[in-house]
Each structure stands twice: as structure tokens, then as C-alpha cells.
Amino acid sequence: MNIIGISAYYHDSAACLVQDGRIVAAAQEERFTRKKHDAGFPLQAIRYCLAEASLGAADIDHVVFYDKPFLKFERLLETYLAFAPRGFQSFATSLPVWIKDKLFQKSVLVRELQEQLDQGVDWSSRLLFSEHHHSHAASAFFPSPFEEAAVLTMDGVGEWTTTSLAIGRGNSLDIHREIHFPHSLGLLYSAFTHYTGFKVNSGEYKVMGLAPYGEPRFADKIKEHLIDLREDGSFRLNMAYFDYCTGLTMTNSRFDELFGGPARKAEAQLTQREMDLAASVQAVTEEVVIKLAKGIRKSTGQRNLCLAGGVALNCVANGKLLRERVFDHIWVQPASGDAGGAIGAALGAHHILLGQPRSVGPGDTMSGSYLGPAFAQDDIEARLRRAGAVFTTLDDDALIDATADALARGCAVGWHQGRMEFGPRALGGRSILADPRSPSVQKQLNLKVKYRESFRPFAPSVLREDVQDWFDIDVDSPYMLMVADVAKERQSPMTAEQQKLFGIDKLNVPRSSIPAITHVDYSARIQTVHADTNPRYHRLISRFKELTGCPVLVNTSFNVRGEPIVCTPEDAFHCLMGTGIEFLAVGNCVMRKEDQNPALLRDYRNAYELD
């Protein structure tokens, strides 16, 4: 049984192939088209999934779309009627798009499948639709290592639902409780994303990264005026301060008045006000998530919790929830956003619609989230030659030694190995790596490699067997979705020299023996690296540990600001030639910047629209 799940037409379109209940392949369309957050029909992602399993289009038994367009249009129409005549401009702007494409999405999808894949297949008989939050819930529960669990999904909005509680047992998944639009924790966070000058649906993680620089001095004001939060975590928003129901922006003049002025303009100087706003909405979000979790534990008695939806990518809130020990075990879908809905749609059809059994093993079934394309060594070499790269091919041992040595010497290293990750995090398949012991690495990577804001933190990859010696966490965190503090014995205050190097004005900014991955509050977004899911990456960190005594590497996504994570060897080489990366390993090929043809250098700094 071959089932393709797809998400598309809103943001982060993706495709997934589930074969007899096993996730075989999954990828986001942006990685192929090189358009960040590409929302188009995921043709190239579908073609990749089929190629991975050596299937033709006619071999697909079902195609499952991740939500129901008619229900979304119902929400749009009812929202306009509820607020009329306010909101007419917003309604009039969106209506032509709905009439042209989204309202008749079944016919649009059938046409795309016929024209792009196979005209001889009766796609209308094979096309199914899931509900948005049901897709999120299925993506969280069915791949999890639990036979039974509570499932909490939180995002901006699906059709109507913004937050849902489900109970998963075996191959069943039943929705028990929902919070509906316009009351949305995700949209509350997005409102502050907009207000602090970042782009909605992509800048939320910047707000999370900015929060530790501030104080939550607006948190009480948020709870007094914007959100009515109950003890069980249920909530309602005061729509008098928001404009997303009736206008074309997230907030309105009353919101501006409440917080002392208009929204920050994109790329304007960040001030303490924005830092405090970020800290405040982050604190409120954490309180809501923890209260929701406690209410779920009390009402269901479940001991395991699964999380999905865009809010589940808030790894700071996840870390706080983990430390509260409300549940015995927590599992977060690594592609918690809309892209992951493709996995949930396919798995939901297999287990629920078709009634197929589900087997649960000791770990999850996401294969480390390494579900994207890999490239054979011969193909890598041919692609690099065509791109004009000068490279050396090494055996496995020499590759590990050369890369670990480059890291120990302070080089920024591009690491393109094995299958590409599915989801927003680089996990050692498509990563930029560096030495975490250097106090200058964070600033250099942000400004000379990533071309992004200097406040942005970097995450550590740490050997699973060493994690408790370096961080205050005692569980697996393979998907970089949990934040914990650097271990006390590894902490130390920043010296005056280091403070000057970082360009930070605050006194007594905390740092550690691994300053490049330590945020200003001593926290770090941790990835535990496991030998069974990524043996080559595990070997690299182990060799770095032998050289330096440190089992930790800086790991950030292999891309520059405004560009998707690299997919192909050519993408990786172009990134080498347009950034401050000094050493690149693609498969068994290694490249040094100084050996390359200077005519191939690129200037990425102005190549992409800033987001």
C-alpha cells in the first residue's frame, strides 16, 4: 500500500511517502525549488518520494491532502459575517484567490496530478482529504514510541481549530477537545512577531531567540488585556487588540497604544523594548503550554504526551515542560509545522481510514528525520566537477580525521552527508559546523556565514553518551527540540575581552567553556547525536572529542539568510563560495576555500530578500 501525503498552497509545502505503514521518504518543496517556504504544489518532492521507492505514479494507491479547503472557506466567510462590515478589505482581497484555486482544491489537485505525474490515472478516485489538526495529531502520535498517549497540537489555525487534544491508542486517534479561531496561541505569538519587526510564519523563532535578552515586564499586561487564561490552559483572546480577523495586519492601534508605540519596522535597530516584548510573550506562551499539559494530565490520566503544530517548535517551552515533569515521557514531531502535516495525512489514512495495525518499537519511526534525498559518491563527484569544484576524495577514516582537524583549527565547516533532514532543523545531514569552545565563533558565523542578526544563538550537537556531563538534561533530544541549561560546572561569566569580542553591551553576560552555543541565559537548544541513526556524524564528534576533549559541536543549518537549507552537492558548493565557510565535506569529497577558482565566488549578502 503506497500512500502519498501532501501539504501545499499555504506555506512550507511538502510530500511524504508511506509504504505499508512505514515512512519511506519526506521532503519540503523549497529544498528543490530554492524558494524559501515555497507554497506551491510539491511536484519535485513527490517525484523524489517516488524515486526513493522506485515507484511510478500509477503505483500510488492514495494521495491525501492535509486539510479540508471547504472548512477553511467556511471559516473565512463566517469570520467576515461576524465582523461585517469591518474586514471587507481583507475578505475582498482573499476571495478571488479562493474562487480561483482554493475553494475548488480537489479539481486543482486532480489537474496537477494528471498534468505533472500521469494523465492515465483516475486521480479523483485516489484523492483523500484529512483535517488540518488531525493531520498534525497523526504526525505526532503514529511515529511516536508510545502505544498510548495524549496528543496536544497548537498552531496558528487550521480550518477552525487552533489547539486540540486527542488520545491515541494503537492505530486509533480520537479528538477530545478543541479551541477554535480566532483564539489562538500561535497567532498571539505571531502578533508579537509582527510587532517586534519580524516576518510572520518565519520569524517566530527569532522572537524566541531574542527573549533571553529581555525581561518579561509586559507579561502581566498581556494576561490582563490580551488573553483570558484559565487554570486548565484553555484561553480566549481579546480581539479588540488584534486585526487578523478584519484587516491585513496582525495588530491594530489599540495594541500599539497598549505597548507604547507602533510596531518596529523590519531591519530597524532592535531596542530593549523589543527584547522585553519577546521575553513577555515567550513567558506567557510557556505558561499556557504548561497549564494545558497539566490540564490534559489531570483530565486524561495519560502518562505520555506527543506534540505537533507550529507552537511545538518552541523548544524553550518544550524544555520548560520537560522540566516540570507533568508527563513521564514527551515526544515532539520534528516537522511540527505544516510540512509535517504531509506525514500525518498519509499515516492517518493508513491506520484510521484503512484500519491497518500499528507496531510500536523501542524508538520512534522517523529514522532520525533523515528522510530526504542522499547522493551516491560517483554522483557527488560528477556534480562537483560540473560545478567547477576542486576537491579531494578520501576514504572514511581520512574524511573524519580531516574534518575534525579543520574544526579543531577553528574552521567553519560545511557538512553534507547522507539523507537530507525533513523539517526545519539541520541534524547533521545538511549542517554548518564549528568549534563551540571559541568565543568568537557565534559572531563570526552570524555575520560572515549566515548573514543574519548577531543576537541569534547556535545549537550544540552532543554525543548522547556525554550529554549529562555538559548539559542539564537526562533524556534524548535527537531533533533539537528541547532547551536545557549548560551544566553548572561548564559555566563561567564572560570576561571583558570576550564581551567586547561579542559586541554585547550588557555586563556579566553569562558564557561557558562552550561559549559559541551558550545563550545569554546559559541555555542551549540541544541535539543528542546517536550512533545508530547517524553513525558518520557520531564518528566525527567522537574524533573531535579525541582531539579536544569536547564532545560538542556547533550545529546550524547549511544555508544563508533567506535561502532554504541546501539539498544537492551543487547547493553546498555554491554556499561554500558565497560565505565564510572554509572547509566543505560532501560525501567523501573535501574542499578547501583557498583551493577554489576565485571566479566562482558569490556575494550572498544581497542575493536574497531579508526575512
Side-chain angles (χ1 to χ4, degrees):
M1 180 64 65
N2 300 307
I3 302 175
I4 291 283
I6 62 175
S7 64
Y9 303 129
Y10 296 95
H11 52 86
D12 297 313
S13 66
C16 165
L17 171 64
V18 168
Q19 190 170 60
D20 296 329
R22 183 173 68 91
I23 305 169
V24 173
Q28 289 145 268
E29 187 71 4
E30 66 166 17
R31 307 292 171 86
F32 305 97
T33 64
R34 312 308 300 156
K35 299 175 184 176
K36 194 166 186 178
H37 304 302
D38 193 335
F41 180 74
L43 173 63
Q44 295 192 57
I46 293 172
R47 285 177 173 167
Y48 153 68
C49 289
L50 294 176
E52 186 67 33
S54 300
L55 298 176
D59 296 317
I60 301 172
D61 295 290
H62 296 288
V63 175
V64 192
F65 192 69
Y66 80 130
D67 70 6
K68 292 187 174 178
F70 272 106
L71 289 179
K72 277 197 171 178
F73 183 73
E74 175 188 273
R75 188 242 303 165
L76 177 75
L77 184 58
E78 288 194 20
T79 299
Y80 167 66
L81 293 174
F83 286 91
R86 287 188 303 136
F88 178 76
Q89 182 183 3
S90 174
F91 181 78
T93 300
S94 60
L95 188 62
V97 178
W98 276 92
I99 296 299
K100 182 176 181 291
D101 291 318
K102 295 182 179 181
L103 187 58
F104 305 104
Q105 213 146 65
K106 181 173 182 178
S107 59
V108 171
L109 287 165
V110 168
R111 185 178 67 246
E112 292 279 13
L113 291 164
Q114 286 177 336
E115 292 178 357
Q116 305 292 345
L117 291 179
D118 191 330
Q119 291 187 350
V121 174
D122 180 11
W123 292 108
S124 62
S125 67
R126 303 188 190 191
L127 183 60
L128 304 171
F129 290 84
S130 176
E131 288 194 20
H132 187 97
H133 268 254
H134 202 278
S135 296
H136 277 320
S139 78
F141 176 64
F142 290 131
S144 79
F146 310 136
E147 178 65 32
E148 186 172 318
V151 185
L152 175 61
T153 69
M154 302 167 288
D155 67 1
V157 59
E159 294 89 0
W160 277 105
T161 305
T162 67
T163 304
S164 73
L165 163 63
I167 302 295
R169 293 185 179 93
N171 68 343
S172 70
L173 186 64
D174 298 311
I175 304 293
H176 281 233
R177 191 151 51 99
E178 296 179 335
I179 297 173
H180 287 173
F181 182 86
H183 310 292
S184 167
L185 183 60
L187 291 176
L188 174 67
Y189 207 93
S190 291
F192 279 87
T193 300
H194 158 77
Y195 192 65
T196 50
F198 301 113
K199 189 175 180 179
V200 172
N201 288 329
S202 67
E204 283 77 5
Y205 57 92
K206 298 182 185 181
V207 176
M208 183 177 66
L210 187 64
Y213 290 94
E215 298 294 332
R217 62 187 179 95
F218 298 108
D220 288 342
K221 187 172 287 190
I222 293 171
K223 289 190 287 184
E224 180 183 352
H225 295 278
L226 302 187
I227 184 169
D228 177 15
L229 176 60
R230 306 298 172 86
E231 202 54 37
D232 65 354
S234 60
F235 59 86
R236 292 180 64 83
L237 299 187
N238 182 352
M239 298 313 299
Y241 292 91
F242 300 95
D243 206 28
Y244 56 78
C245 284
T246 61
L248 300 175
T249 61
M250 295 298 299
T251 60
N252 60 26
S253 58
R254 289 192 64 179
F255 194 101
D256 295 351
E257 184 180 347
L258 183 63
F259 294 107
R264 167 182 167 262
K265 294 187 182 300
E267 304 305 315
Q269 182 71 34
L270 281 166
T271 69
Q272 191 62 47
R273 173 172 169 262
E274 282 78 42
M275 298 175 192
D276 292 345
L277 286 164
S280 301
V281 73
Q282 179 65 34
V284 171
T285 298
E286 292 163 10
E287 184 177 349
V288 174
V289 170
I290 289 169
K291 284 189 172 182
L292 278 167
K294 288 180 176 179
I296 290 167
R297 178 62 190 263
K298 183 177 180 180
S299 64
T300 69
Q302 292 292 326
R303 302 177 65 177
N304 302 315
L305 179 67
C306 300
L307 295 173
V311 177
L313 293 172
N314 192 308
C315 50
V316 178
N318 295 344
K320 295 268 178 79
L321 180 58
L322 180 70
R323 291 189 291 279
E324 287 282 325
R325 300 193 180 276
V326 178
F327 287 87
D328 295 354
H329 304 285
I330 299 174
W331 190 83
V332 186
Q333 164 56 242
S336 282
D338 275 11
I343 286 180
L347 287 175
H350 180 80
H351 292 300
I352 299 172
L353 181 66
L354 302 177
Q356 295 300 305
R358 169 176 173 258
S359 60
V360 179
D364 66 50
T365 58
M366 286 293 295
S367 301
S369 211
Y370 305 112
L371 296 168
F375 297 84
Q377 183 62 29
D378 289 348
D379 188 28
I380 290 171
E381 294 178 18
R383 286 168 176 267
L384 290 175
R385 286 192 191 97
R386 287 196 297 271
V390 177
F391 60 88
T392 303
T393 302
L394 305 175
D395 63 29
D396 288 357
D397 290 341
L399 170 75
I400 296 298
D401 286 344
T403 307
D405 179 68
L407 288 163
R409 289 187 287 105
C411 293
V413 171
W415 182 251
H416 181 293
Q417 301 292 330
R419 297 185 72 176
M420 183 177 68
E421 303 89 341
F422 182 59
R425 309 294 187 216
L427 302 170
R430 305 290 186 272
S431 293
I432 296 172
L433 309 175
D435 184 348
R437 301 169 302 155
S438 169
S440 63
V441 158
Q442 183 193 29
K443 187 174 183 179
Q444 288 177 347
L445 284 181
N446 271 328
L447 298 182
K448 295 183 179 181
V449 176
K450 303 285 282 187
Y451 303 129
R452 67 184 196 182
E453 302 92 344
S454 60
F455 72 83
R456 300 272 293 279
F458 289 102
S461 290
V462 56
L463 298 177
R464 174 62 181 93
E465 53 268 32
D466 290 321
V467 66
Q468 285 182 267
D469 293 335
W470 291 78
F471 301 96
D472 185 19
I473 190 171
D474 61 355
V475 299
D476 294 349
S477 180
Y479 301 123
M480 209 182 281
L481 287 168
M482 295 289 174
V483 164
D485 288 345
V486 174
K488 293 290 185 186
E489 57 270 26
R490 309 288 179 184
Q491 296 179 6
S492 60
M494 181 184 280
T495 66
E497 183 179 352
Q498 288 173 325
Q499 186 175 310
K500 183 178 179 181
L501 189 60
F502 273 94
I504 296 173
D505 295 330
K506 290 186 176 183
L507 297 175
N508 300 318
V509 175
R511 284 291 143 183
S512 68
S513 56
I514 40 176
I517 57 81
T518 305
H519 208 7
V520 293
D521 57 354
Y522 284 121
S523 68
R525 189 181 72 209
I526 295 160
Q527 180 201 4
T528 54
V529 179
H530 304 246
D532 56 340
T533 54
N534 196 333
R536 180 168 279 194
Y537 192 36
H538 190 275
R539 279 191 65 196
L540 175 65
I541 302 175
S542 298
R543 180 61 180 143
F544 182 78
K545 179 185 176 184
E546 291 173 5
L547 293 176
T548 66
C550 178
V552 182
L553 287 177
V554 175
N555 176 12
T556 187
S557 57
F558 199 160
N559 67 320
V560 295
R561 187 183 187 190
E563 182 188 56
I565 293 174
V566 300
C567 177
T568 66
E570 298 95 321
D571 296 336
F573 177 67
H574 294 156
C575 206
L576 169 73
M577 300 307 291
T579 69
I581 294 173
E582 300 152 282
F583 183 99
L584 173 62
V586 182
N588 285 75
C589 299
V590 298
M591 285 143 277
R592 293 170 176 82
K593 177 70 72 61
E594 64 265 25
D595 297 334
Q596 307 306 314
N597 181 352
L600 298 177
L601 290 172
R602 295 181 169 206
D603 185 0
Y604 269 115
R605 285 170 296 182
N606 299 310
Y608 293 93
E609 178 185 357
L610 299 180
D611 62 353

